[in-house]
Amino acid sequence: MATRNRYEDLARSVSAIGAVKRGLARALPVECQGGSAAVLALVSHHGDMRTSRLAELMAVDMSVCSRHVAHTVEHGWIERLPDPDDKRSRILRLTEPGHAMLGELDRRVTEAFSRHLAEWSDDDVELLTHLLVRLRESFGDCRAHHA
């Protein structure tokens, strides 16, 4: 019974992360919300890639990913280049304005955390960071499994 209650409490706490994510979303520029921000972050982190690979990384349907990519292309943050291995495909690349927007996103999110966690000790922030990484790793590649 104690194990069940421990996981029930955890489930309630994890569901509250939605409120944190909504709070962080309010810190983002209106023109670059969650999906677009994810595109920029993933292309920056993983390098140039096809939209199909990006959809895998985002764990979303191709149509959803394509809409987010189109938005970033319209704003000049991502460019679509011919794939040298397959001329029918396109490679996504972060542009200089994309790097600048990613810097702005990082700054805003960091400021939001700094503001909301100002009373937390450095050790508490470090512990939370460590535990969130560990939680994510425990779930592995969630895209491969459906409940």
Side-chain angles (χ1 to χ4, degrees):
M1 188 72 153
T3 300
R4 182 174 171 211
N5 288 337
R6 173 177 67 172
Y7 293 125
E8 287 174 352
D9 291 344
L10 177 60
R12 281 190 287 279
S13 294
V14 167
S15 69
I17 290 176
V20 173
K21 289 177 68 175
R22 287 187 296 278
L24 291 173
R26 285 190 289 275
L28 299 179
V30 172
E31 70 274 14
C32 191
Q33 288 295 303
S36 297
V39 168
L40 298 180
L42 288 168
V43 173
S44 175
H45 180 75
H46 294 280
D48 300 354
M49 68 182 77
R50 291 181 180 175
T51 304
S52 57
R53 173 70 177 134
L54 181 61
E56 289 174 13
L57 291 170
M58 292 178 73
V60 298
D61 186 74
M62 259 307 262
S63 63
V64 173
C65 184
S66 293
R67 281 193 302 274
H68 293 309
V69 168
H71 181 81
T72 62
V73 169
E74 288 170 15
H75 282 81
W77 304 322
I78 292 284
E79 61 184 346
R80 290 185 184 120
L81 303 170
D83 183 339
D85 298 328
D86 181 355
K87 298 299 181 195
R88 298 169 296 167
S89 296
R90 296 283 180 250
I91 297 291
L92 305 176
R93 175 175 291 156
L94 197 62
T95 64
E96 282 306 313
H99 282 286
M101 177 52 74
L102 195 55
E104 177 67 11
L105 296 171
D106 288 345
R107 182 188 66 74
R108 287 174 179 236
V109 169
T110 300
E111 284 179 1
F113 276 125
S114 178
R115 188 172 53 256
H116 290 288
L117 305 181
E119 302 299 318
W120 289 40
S121 71
D122 289 346
D123 288 342
D124 284 346
V125 173
E126 186 176 326
L127 177 61
L128 176 62
T129 302
H130 171 76
L131 291 174
L132 287 172
V133 167
R134 188 172 165 198
L135 176 66
R136 176 64 185 100
E137 289 171 351
S138 293
F139 275 78
D141 185 356
C142 299
R143 297 165 297 188
H145 309 292
H146 298 287

